[in-house]
Amino acid sequence: MREKKPKSYKELVSMPEKLKEKLPTSYDVVGDIILIKLDNALLEHKNEIGNSLLNIHKNVKTVCLIEPVSGEYRTRNVEVIAGENKTETVHKEYGLKFYVDVEKTYFSPRLANERMRITKLVKKDEIIADMFTGVAPFPIMIAKKSNPKIIYGIDKNKYAIEYAKKNVVANNLLDKIELICRDSKNVKKIVREKNADRIIMNHPT
């Protein structure tokens, strides 16, 4: 008789049932990295939880414990709790490729549908300014799936802009996206400078 495979990582974690009730039911998968938040009561079991997730998700190589976004660049404190000691990965979404460092840059796979929704609103030859572009998921999605004239991706996080440049090249969009390492505080000035028809302001909070 075949051994029954566990349906959830929770079945593999050894801890009192009261603690199991605190185990998260959801977490993010970015490329081959899982990002998970844990209650303080679970922290002494973090490595076991991480290894249990690796056992369930065979395509995942790393599990990271994360804190809420914070700081000037709205990034997360990240701790590898299982698997390979890395924070860089390649995430695929709607046939597009994104190089991401989950510690140095902000990226949320949960916004995939929102990115597609905005993309479908874009009209031909629009000029677009994306104010908190990060690794450029909005500009790349829009440039690939719609037909804008040009998209300006703006972010003051130099690491995000470095990854954004890599992503623009990886998705063959050098003629459609211009990246600018700059603070987006003066929105009106930027919009006037670029003569933008549409502004995207998806602030990472």
Side-chain angles (χ1 to χ4, degrees):
M1 184 181 292
R2 283 186 179 181
E3 186 178 342
K4 189 177 179 181
K5 291 184 179 180
K7 294 181 179 179
S8 167
Y9 79 98
K10 295 181 181 182
E11 297 176 36
L12 300 176
V13 180
S14 299
M15 62 173 61
E17 286 302 317
K18 282 190 176 182
L19 273 184
K20 277 195 174 185
E21 292 173 5
K22 295 179 180 291
L23 286 169
T25 55
S26 65
Y27 39 83
D28 288 341
V29 182
V30 180
D32 59 2
I33 297 177
I34 283 178
L35 304 178
I36 191 167
K37 296 177 184 177
L38 295 177
D39 186 281
N40 286 338
L42 297 171
L43 292 181
E44 64 179 290
H45 301 279
K46 62 186 179 183
N47 300 116
E48 184 184 358
I49 292 168
N51 285 316
S52 297
L53 285 163
L54 287 178
N55 279 326
I56 292 292
H57 299 276
K58 299 302 182 183
N59 294 326
V60 168
K61 294 181 179 178
T62 302
V63 180
C64 291
L65 176 65
I66 60 170
E67 295 179 8
V69 293
S70 62
E72 184 181 7
Y73 295 149
R74 309 304 294 162
T75 52
R76 301 180 178 99
N77 287 326
V78 170
E79 178 189 354
V80 175
I81 58 174
E84 295 181 14
N85 186 23
K86 66 168 190 167
T87 55
E88 187 177 75
T89 187
V90 180
H91 183 79
K92 294 182 180 178
E93 178 179 297
Y94 287 105
L96 304 172
K97 182 188 291 186
F98 299 105
Y99 290 91
V100 181
D101 187 312
V102 297
E103 185 172 35
K104 293 180 179 178
T105 65
Y106 176 84
F107 180 85
S108 174
R110 300 187 186 204
L111 292 174
N113 291 336
E114 176 66 3
R115 287 190 272 270
M116 181 55 78
R117 184 186 74 82
I118 296 297
T119 294
K120 290 178 179 178
L121 297 176
V122 173
K123 297 179 176 63
K124 183 180 178 182
D125 291 332
E126 278 192 1
I127 298 172
I128 300 168
D130 181 19
M131 294 302 191
F132 308 103
T133 201
V135 300
F138 272 97
I140 288 169
M141 177 80 76
I142 292 168
K144 205 71 172 181
K145 306 291 184 181
S146 294
N147 192 20
K149 184 176 182 179
I150 187 75
I151 306 175
Y152 297 100
I154 304 155
D155 203 297
K156 65 179 179 178
N157 181 347
K158 66 178 182 179
Y159 297 110
I161 291 295
E162 286 174 10
Y163 279 95
K165 288 177 180 177
K166 193 173 182 179
N167 292 333
V168 169
V169 172
N171 291 282
N172 300 309
L173 292 168
L174 284 169
D175 60 330
K176 286 287 187 178
I177 298 172
E178 181 179 328
L179 298 165
I180 303 166
C181 191
R182 178 177 173 182
D183 198 325
S184 295
K185 280 182 180 178
N186 197 335
V187 175
K188 289 183 179 179
K189 184 178 179 181
I190 294 171
V191 171
R192 284 197 302 269
E193 285 177 359
K194 303 305 180 185
N195 197 27
D197 301 303
R198 185 183 299 272
I199 306 164
I200 298 171
M201 298 183 71
N202 185 66
H203 193 266
T205 54

